């Protein structure tokens, strides 16, 4: 495995960006009679939105990519690294996957401040506290929550926690981004800011990004491609606009109708 | 209907303590408590109970973590074994310790051959007796505290590249801190009150093994007023432990943990 840490002469270790590449995954997870069976390819530097109703399997798919749920079959490959391969019994633990993960429940470390939460991954890799903190402050500022830097995570509002969670995922210079409903708790302006930060990060670093959402507007704003997942399976694939223009299922049609009704003209 | 037995329970618990306070020789309380023999016993009790508590933390917290988190076969068997000293009469614990570490016991004889001193009837024996009876309290309290923390938070921290040990240090243990503190306080109080195992395994030698409870028991025959004074001192110490436990740790930190979960869904 490639060494993820390099020694800087005479100083604490700094976290080097993780080697990235295309994300190629086929995740199969069985829970009793329910089965998630989803193939997903995300080219480096692209965003793929996984769209679908609650319980459809999109969060499970993301957890499987992150290594938090074990694959019953299939594989996860990122660039030339194999993160999981059920047939070969390969399952790299989450802490060695070098991914930027934001889960739906965010799950910050409650007794640490916002800044300490964002610096957490870099500190865990042995980076100097000052360097990790500077990076954290930059990200908090980019997401417009720098005024909460010293606030303990359990005192943050849902929207603030979500932005801190996003900053925490970006801070580790991940090889891929896995974001589960990253904008759900944000208001309109926070959402615009956060989407721009994610987009800039993906374009600048060239990492593949998976965006799990049930909001078509997120997909239209950010995603190159969309996969609609219902009952554990992909029921439609295509560009965001193509999917919005020709919904294949009542669920997607409902999303389009809701979007038109809510904010006509927001799609540009 | 239930109020009568409830009141009776309260009376059962409190009346003896009231009697103790009522019998206290307030006039010469100061001089009795400051007697060299009492101070010796108090110093010995406080230091051995503190050392036992530290020892319990050092080995008990890892054991509690294993019981709460590790993928362990026979977990309930281990937990049951940990609980045995909790329900065992302390004097039996003392006998058991003697049978392991006594001068004629295999392990004890070997230790004596190596180090030249036997364990029984030394201050070390006091610490071991206290640790034996107090450790289960700590392990069960800390296991509950660690088990009550959100495992998904640890998983989220792991995705950031944190090793298991780093997550334990920075996420799990701080979240369980109130429970660990409460367990340590309980452990300290239990060690402070230890009598049966100490008397059996360590004896009652002034200065080295005669802790406060042993001194109280001895004084009851020879100088009842001194026994009452020392008992009051132990009562005050126990209540102090309780106050510190409830006031600062239980109240303060569990309050913080129960506060709005980070990452709620509302904007």
């Amino acid at each position: 495995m490639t060494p993820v840490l390099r020694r800087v002469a005479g100083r604490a270790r700094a976290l080097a960006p993780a080697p990235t590449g295309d994300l190629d995954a086929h995740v199969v997870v069985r829970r009793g009679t329910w089965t998630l069976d989803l193939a997903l390819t995300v080219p480096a530097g692209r965003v793929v939105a996984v769209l679908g109703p609650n319980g459809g399997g999109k969060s499970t798919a993301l957890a499987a990519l992150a290594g938090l749920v074990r694959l019953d079959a299939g594989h996860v490959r990122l660039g030339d690294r194999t993160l999981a391969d059920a047939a070969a019994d390969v399952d790299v633990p989450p802490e060695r996957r070098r991914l930027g993960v934001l889960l739906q429940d965010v799950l910050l470390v409650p007794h640490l401040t916002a800044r300490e939460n964002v610096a957490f991954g870099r500190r865990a890799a042995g980076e100097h506290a000052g360097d990790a903190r500077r990076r954290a402050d930059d990200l908090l500022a980019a997401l417009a929550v720098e005024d909460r830097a010293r606030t303990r995570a359990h005192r943050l509002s849902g929207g603030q926690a979500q932005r801190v969670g996003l900053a925490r995922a970006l801070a580790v210079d991940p090889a891929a981004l896995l974001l589960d409903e990253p904008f759900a708790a944000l208001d309109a302006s926070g959402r615009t800011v956060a989407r721009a930060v994610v987009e800039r990060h993906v374009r600048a670093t060239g990492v593949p990004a998976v965006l799990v959402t049930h909001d078509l507007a997120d997909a239209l704003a950010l995603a190159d491609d969309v996969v609609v997942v219902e009952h554990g399976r992909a029921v439609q694939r295509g560009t965001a606009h193509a999917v919005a223009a020709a919904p294949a299922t009542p669920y997607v049609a409902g999303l389009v109708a809701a979007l038109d009704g809510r904010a006509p003209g927001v799609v540009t | 209907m239930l109020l009568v037995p409830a009141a009776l329970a309260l009376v059962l618990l409190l009346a003896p303590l009231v009697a103790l306070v009522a019998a206290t020789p307030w006039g010469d309380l100061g001089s009795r408590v400051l007697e060299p023999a009492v101070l010796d016993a108090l110093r010995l009790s406080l230091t051995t109970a503190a050392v036992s508590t530290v020892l319990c933390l050092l080995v008990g917290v890892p054991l509690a973590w294993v019981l709460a988190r590790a993928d362990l076969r026979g977990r309930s068997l281990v937990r049951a074994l940990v609980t045995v000293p909790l329900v065992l009469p302390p004097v039996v614990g003392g006998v058991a310790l003697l049978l392991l570490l006594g001068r004629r016991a295999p392990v004890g004889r070997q230790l004596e051959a190596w180090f030249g001193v036997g364990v029984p009837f030394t201050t070390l024996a006091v610490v071991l007796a206290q640790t034996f009876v107090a450790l289960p309290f700590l392990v069960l309290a800390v296991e509950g505290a660690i088990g009550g923390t959100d495992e998904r938070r640890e998983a989220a921290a792991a995705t950031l590249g944190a090793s298991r040990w780093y997550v334990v240090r920075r996420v799990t243990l701080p979240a369980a801190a109130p429970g660990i503190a409460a367990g340590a306080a309980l452990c300290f109080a239990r060690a402070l009150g230890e009598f049966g195992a100490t008397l059996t395994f360590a004896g009652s030698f002034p200065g080295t093994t005669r802790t406060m409870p042993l001194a109280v028991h001895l004084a009851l025959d020879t100088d009842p007023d001194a026994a009452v004074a020392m008992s009051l001192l132990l009562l005050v110490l126990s209540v102090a432990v309780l106050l510190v436990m409830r006031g600062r740790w239980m109240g303060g930190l569990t309050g913080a943990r129960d506060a709005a979960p980070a990452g709620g869904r509302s904007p």
Side-chain angles (χ1 to χ4, degrees):
Chain A
M1 177 159 293
T2 34
V4 292
L5 305 168
R6 68 187 152 83
R7 286 234 168 238
V8 179
R11 296 199 53 192
R13 289 175 285 184
L15 189 66
T20 187
D22 298 344
L23 177 68
D24 165 44
H26 178 207
V27 292
V28 178
V29 177
R30 297 192 186 95
R31 293 274 163 78
T33 58
W34 184 87
T35 301
L36 167 73
D37 186 338
L38 178 67
L40 196 63
T41 307
V42 188
R46 298 297 189 90
V47 179
V48 169
V50 177
L51 213 63
N54 290 331
K58 53 195 198 312
S59 290
T60 305
L62 189 117
L65 294 173
L68 299 173
V69 169
R70 213 181 158 90
L71 296 184
D72 289 307
H75 64 267
V76 178
R77 280 191 273 277
L78 180 56
D80 44 19
R81 288 195 296 154
T82 297
L83 301 182
D85 189 333
D89 204 26
V90 174
D91 186 24
V92 176
E95 63 268 26
R96 287 200 272 117
R97 294 198 175 196
R98 291 300 310 269
L99 304 172
V101 182
L102 171 59
L103 300 173
Q104 193 171 3
D105 290 336
V106 187
L107 300 167
L108 297 174
V109 184
H111 57 273
L112 296 181
T113 63
R115 175 194 278 151
E116 287 165 341
N117 265 284
V118 180
F120 187 91
R122 303 187 74 86
R123 293 287 291 138
E127 186 168 274
H128 191 271
D131 296 342
R133 197 179 307 139
R134 264 189 295 283
R135 182 55 167 280
D137 286 342
D138 289 347
L139 282 161
L140 290 172
L143 287 157
V145 271
E146 69 271 30
D147 56 324
R148 310 299 282 164
R150 289 158 179 276
T151 305
R152 288 188 194 279
H154 68 83
R155 297 205 178 282
L156 296 172
S157 74
Q160 290 163 348
Q162 199 160 46
R163 282 181 276 179
V164 171
L166 181 58
R168 178 169 86 154
L170 299 175
V172 293
D173 288 335
L177 275 179
L178 306 177
L179 309 175
D180 194 349
E181 304 281 7
F183 315 122
L186 302 180
D187 58 21
S189 71
R191 200 172 276 240
T192 309
V193 169
R195 278 179 189 155
V197 167
V198 170
E199 178 155 38
R200 216 181 316 134
H201 187 93
V202 169
R203 306 304 174 217
T205 57
V207 299
V210 177
L211 174 70
V212 165
T213 179
H214 65 263
D215 187 345
L216 191 56
D218 284 344
L220 287 165
L222 265 182
D224 300 288
D225 286 300
V226 169
V227 180
V228 181
V229 177
E230 294 180 35
H231 309 296
R233 283 170 197 279
V235 293
Q236 190 175 8
R237 294 173 191 267
T239 66
H241 288 279
V243 169
T249 69
Y251 170 76
V252 184
L255 287 183
V256 175
L259 193 66
D260 289 343
R262 185 177 70 191
V266 84
V267 181
T268 50
Chain B
M1 204 52 95
L2 285 174
L3 280 180
V4 175
L8 189 64
L10 211 58
V11 168
L12 265 171
L13 289 171
L14 292 181
L17 300 183
V18 172
L20 172 64
V21 174
T24 301
W26 295 104
D28 52 357
L29 187 65
S31 61
R32 283 188 181 283
V33 166
L34 290 175
E35 281 208 20
V38 175
L39 286 181
D40 273 355
L42 181 64
R43 195 180 305 121
L44 184 68
S45 266
L46 290 176
T47 48
T48 52
V51 171
S52 302
T53 305
V54 171
L55 209 60
C56 286
L57 281 168
L58 285 177
V59 297
V61 172
L63 178 57
W65 184 86
V66 167
L67 284 174
R69 280 285 193 271
D71 213 7
L72 187 72
R73 274 184 176 282
R75 180 203 311 262
S76 37
L77 177 68
V78 175
R79 191 182 291 120
L81 291 175
V82 168
T83 320
V84 168
L86 193 76
V87 294
L88 195 71
V91 63
V92 177
V95 171
L97 282 165
L98 262 182
L99 291 176
L100 178 73
L101 297 170
R103 295 218 156 92
R104 278 177 294 172
V107 177
R109 196 164 41 201
Q110 198 55 247
L111 287 177
E112 196 166 347
W114 286 341
F115 301 107
V117 286
V119 176
F121 311 110
T122 63
T123 306
L124 177 61
V126 177
V127 170
L128 287 178
Q130 291 176 350
T131 304
F132 181 81
V133 297
L135 187 55
F137 285 88
L138 183 102
V139 171
L140 295 182
V142 175
E143 190 207 339
I146 291 177
T149 63
D150 191 345
E151 216 166 341
R152 297 175 312 148
R153 254 181 238 293
E154 296 164 21
T159 65
L160 300 169
S163 68
R164 201 161 187 192
W165 170 230
Y166 192 84
V167 171
V168 167
R169 263 179 29 230
R170 299 295 307 275
V171 182
T172 315
L173 290 184
I180 295 174
L186 204 62
C187 178
F188 181 80
R190 182 67 189 83
L192 197 65
E194 216 305 301
F195 179 80
T198 310
L199 186 61
T200 314
F201 183 49
S204 175
F205 299 102
T208 55
T209 71
R210 186 174 298 160
T211 54
M212 283 292 278
L214 299 176
V216 169
H217 183 70
L218 192 72
L220 211 50
D221 287 334
T222 56
D223 185 355
D225 275 356
V228 172
M230 284 188 278
S231 297
L232 189 75
L233 196 58
L234 280 176
L235 176 65
V236 169
L237 275 173
S238 310
V239 172
V241 168
L242 191 71
L243 285 180
V244 169
M245 193 167 113
R246 293 199 62 103
R248 190 179 318 155
W249 293 324
M250 306 284 276
L253 282 174
T254 45
R257 205 175 46 175
D258 292 342
R265 304 259 80 195
S266 58

